[in-house]
Amino acid sequence: MNITRENIDALNAVVKIDIVAEDYQEKVNKLLTDYRKKADVPGFRKGQVPMGMIKKQHGRSILMDEVNKLLQQSLNNYLATQKLEILGNPLPRLQETFNWDAEMLSFEFELGLIPEFTVALKSKNKVKEYKIVATEELLDEEIKNIQLRYGKVSSLEEAVVNANVTGTFVNEAKEINKKGTFLVSDLNGKKNEKKVIGAKVGDVIALDTKKLFEDAHRLEHLLGVTHEEIHDLDITVSFTVEEITETAPADLDKELFSKLFADGSVSTATELRNKIKEDAENQFKQQGDQQLLNAVTEHLVENTKFDLPAVFLKKWLATAGEKPLTADEATEEFNKSEKSLRYQLIEGKIMKENNIKIDHAELGTYAKGFIRTQMAQFGNMNPEEKELNEIAGRVLQNKEEAQKLQAQLISQKLLTFYKENMSFKTKELSYQEFTKEVYK
């Protein structure tokens, strides 16, 4: 066997593998002998079928199978020993006339090579990093919500601006018949409020869905319509009032604090406010970190210049899936995935050059932390280590779940690396300002 490589350019190469009979004949002969021993052919005793007949029936298919196995193994070994980093998989060059009876069998494979490039983490155009703060208005609103959640509910004879109104929404054409509750003050505009204020149990009110609430998504829950229907929904619903209540806010006292924090960690209104601020900004930090990772990704892709073996990759995409793609479909697929591929190469280079990696033990620890957080949301604040180990073990046995957790942990490590090695332009703003600026 002889293996040679021709470098077409910096991104493309062709590997040629020449195979002669002595590379495969011994295995082929052994398999033919095994076939002969097991062959059951009418007119011949088992194991006594002439070898010529066995070769005629099975020789070519056995030869092809063994040569293909030998090719795959030899090519993989060659790529490993030569330390060739390739994109996709080697593509065999099809030969219109191929003679399996030739003394030498020659095969060629096209390779798409990973380009050489450098990643510049420092740049004049700094990535914007957002520091999201909990404003006084947000804290006031959250405390108000807590007081109402634990407040005393009383019935009212008629609706007022602070009343909770429960009733059934009906629109026969849209097949809407849904019971729901809303706060009168949540209605959008005085015109809508006036329709409800003064209403009594049993009254039927006609409400227009368009701009009924400042947040149109309220309709999804109240009317039972789909997320896609919300923004274009412009109908009239009849609303039959069934119950009117008012909630007197709970006092900010020890009784409320003990309900909220049984461990006694909060005992004053100031401590409650500080706790809400801390929790909110921890949540905001997670969203800020995700936005920062997205921004760094975009920045690195835009500022790290290198060519790809585009022609090769399009040919590979055309044959890589279960269903072959046309040339136009492969081009479209390449265009859609090019940015993602570029970041994968950048990310891989950063991880390799900076020894960023994870092992099984580290992934297990991360999985347990993830599970502990999930359990805390359902009230289990102190799960036993044995229970965590058992659940983490089951989760990591699921290949898809394990890959998700691994991707999350890698992203976390990369974000830490970026924060330590890149300079950012920091902007402080409220959560509302953040969502408007980032998500438009």
Side-chain angles (χ1 to χ4, degrees):
M1 180 189 301
N2 184 44
I3 303 180
T4 57
R5 180 175 85 246
E6 178 188 359
N7 291 325
I8 308 301
D9 54 37
L11 299 174
N12 296 273
V14 174
V15 170
K16 184 179 180 183
I17 303 178
D18 295 324
I19 298 177
V20 294
E22 63 186 45
D23 295 320
Y24 57 81
Q25 198 62 61
E26 185 179 345
K27 272 199 169 183
V28 170
N29 289 340
K30 183 178 184 304
L31 287 169
L32 286 170
T33 301
D34 290 342
Y35 262 89
R36 187 181 182 223
K37 290 177 181 177
K38 299 173 185 175
D40 191 2
V41 178
F44 298 95
R45 284 186 297 170
K46 194 170 184 178
Q48 297 300 315
V49 180
M51 181 58 80
M53 184 180 290
I54 296 294
K55 285 183 178 180
K56 186 175 181 180
Q57 290 180 342
H58 305 289
R60 180 55 53 85
S61 62
I62 290 176
L63 169 66
M64 293 171 67
D65 284 346
E66 286 307 307
V67 168
N68 282 327
K69 289 177 186 175
L70 183 59
L71 277 174
Q72 191 63 54
Q73 183 181 16
S74 303
L75 184 57
N76 289 339
N77 289 341
Y78 178 79
L79 295 176
T81 55
Q82 296 292 311
K83 297 182 179 179
L84 285 176
E85 295 183 301
I86 65 172
L87 292 168
N89 292 316
L91 287 178
R93 277 187 170 175
L94 300 179
Q95 302 177 45
E96 292 184 8
T97 57
F98 187 86
N99 183 10
W100 282 97
D101 296 319
E103 290 186 8
M104 179 181 290
L105 304 178
S106 296
F107 302 88
E108 292 183 347
F109 295 88
E110 296 180 39
L111 305 180
L113 306 177
I114 289 180
E116 290 289 334
F117 60 91
T118 57
V119 182
L121 296 173
K122 304 294 183 182
S123 172
K124 291 181 180 179
N125 300 321
K126 293 182 180 179
V127 175
K128 188 180 289 184
E129 178 183 24
Y130 293 96
K131 182 182 179 183
I132 312 169
V133 296
T135 62
E136 294 302 312
E137 291 78 11
L138 183 144
L139 299 179
D140 290 341
E141 185 67 25
E142 185 56 29
I143 289 173
K144 178 183 174 183
N145 290 337
I146 290 172
Q147 288 180 280
L148 290 174
R149 201 180 310 143
Y150 289 89
K152 183 178 180 182
V153 179
S154 58
S155 297
L156 296 177
E157 290 188 2
E158 63 178 47
V160 295
V161 71
N162 291 320
N164 295 299
V165 182
T166 300
T168 301
F169 296 90
V170 175
N171 180 286
E172 293 183 0
K174 286 285 186 180
E175 298 183 347
I176 293 172
N177 191 316
K178 185 89 165 45
K179 187 172 182 177
T181 301
F182 61 88
L183 186 64
V184 176
S185 59
D186 284 344
L187 292 167
N188 184 38
K190 297 295 182 183
K191 182 180 177 181
N192 285 319
E193 283 188 3
K194 284 181 180 179
K195 289 182 178 181
V196 179
I197 291 175
K200 298 180 179 179
V201 173
D203 287 353
V204 180
I205 307 166
L207 296 172
D208 297 322
T209 58
K210 191 173 180 64
K211 296 183 179 180
L212 182 59
F213 295 97
E214 187 172 341
D215 181 3
H217 293 88
R218 289 289 303 279
L219 297 174
E220 184 177 359
H221 172 70
L222 287 173
L223 304 184
V225 294
T226 66
H227 184 79
E228 290 73 20
E229 291 179 278
I230 293 170
H231 297 289
D232 296 323
L233 193 65
D234 188 5
I235 59 173
T236 299
V237 293
S238 66
F239 177 71
T240 303
V241 180
E242 297 172 9
E243 185 181 19
I244 306 168
T245 62
E246 186 177 40
T247 304
D251 292 330
L252 295 174
D253 55 17
K254 288 185 178 179
E255 182 181 351
L256 176 61
F257 302 144
S258 63
K259 288 178 181 177
L260 294 171
F261 302 95
D263 60 358
S265 59
V266 171
S267 58
T268 67
T270 300
E271 289 177 354
L272 174 62
R273 195 175 189 86
N274 291 338
K275 178 63 174 171
I276 293 172
K277 181 179 176 67
E278 179 186 352
D279 290 347
E281 290 185 349
N282 281 337
Q283 291 183 24
F284 296 159
K285 185 177 182 300
Q286 293 177 18
Q287 293 193 47
D289 281 349
Q290 184 58 57
Q291 186 280 329
L292 180 61
L293 186 59
N294 294 341
V296 169
T297 300
E298 292 286 338
H299 173 83
L300 291 176
V301 169
E302 187 176 334
N303 291 277
T304 307
K305 304 298 182 184
F306 55 85
D307 292 325
L308 291 170
V311 173
F312 169 85
L313 288 170
K314 290 171 187 177
K315 287 172 66 176
W316 174 69
L317 286 168
T319 59
E322 293 181 8
K323 180 183 174 184
L325 303 180
T326 65
D328 288 342
E329 288 171 337
T331 298
E332 183 181 354
E333 185 64 28
F334 173 76
N335 292 338
K336 285 194 296 185
S337 59
E338 182 181 1
K339 183 181 285 189
S340 173
L341 173 58
R342 286 181 178 277
Y343 181 67
Q344 286 177 30
L345 293 175
I346 294 167
E347 180 184 278
K349 190 175 184 68
I350 289 172
M351 292 181 67
K352 184 177 179 180
E353 291 181 350
N354 296 280
N355 199 31
I356 300 172
K357 55 187 177 182
I358 58 176
D359 55 31
H360 185 73
E362 194 173 13
L363 183 59
T365 301
Y366 180 78
K368 287 195 291 184
F370 179 81
I371 294 163
R372 186 181 283 108
T373 300
Q374 296 287 93
M375 295 175 78
Q377 292 177 3
F378 293 94
N380 188 350
M381 306 303 291
N382 295 296
E384 293 184 3
E385 191 68 18
K386 182 182 177 183
E387 183 181 15
L388 284 173
N389 286 330
E390 289 175 352
I391 297 173
R394 290 197 298 271
V395 169
L396 293 177
Q397 284 177 357
N398 182 313
K399 186 177 179 181
E400 189 175 328
E401 290 300 320
Q403 287 175 341
K404 279 184 188 176
L405 289 172
Q406 182 171 315
Q408 291 173 14
L409 180 53
I410 287 172
S411 292
Q412 193 178 93
K413 285 198 162 197
L414 282 168
L415 183 60
T416 300
F417 173 80
Y418 294 145
K419 286 183 175 181
E420 292 172 350
N421 293 275
M422 295 178 69
S423 298
F424 302 106
K425 180 170 58 178
T426 304
K427 183 174 183 179
E428 187 175 293
L429 70 184
S430 69
Y431 181 71
Q432 188 175 26
E433 290 168 335
F434 170 78
T435 55
K436 284 182 178 178
E437 181 165 328
V438 173
Y439 303 117
K440 303 293 186 288

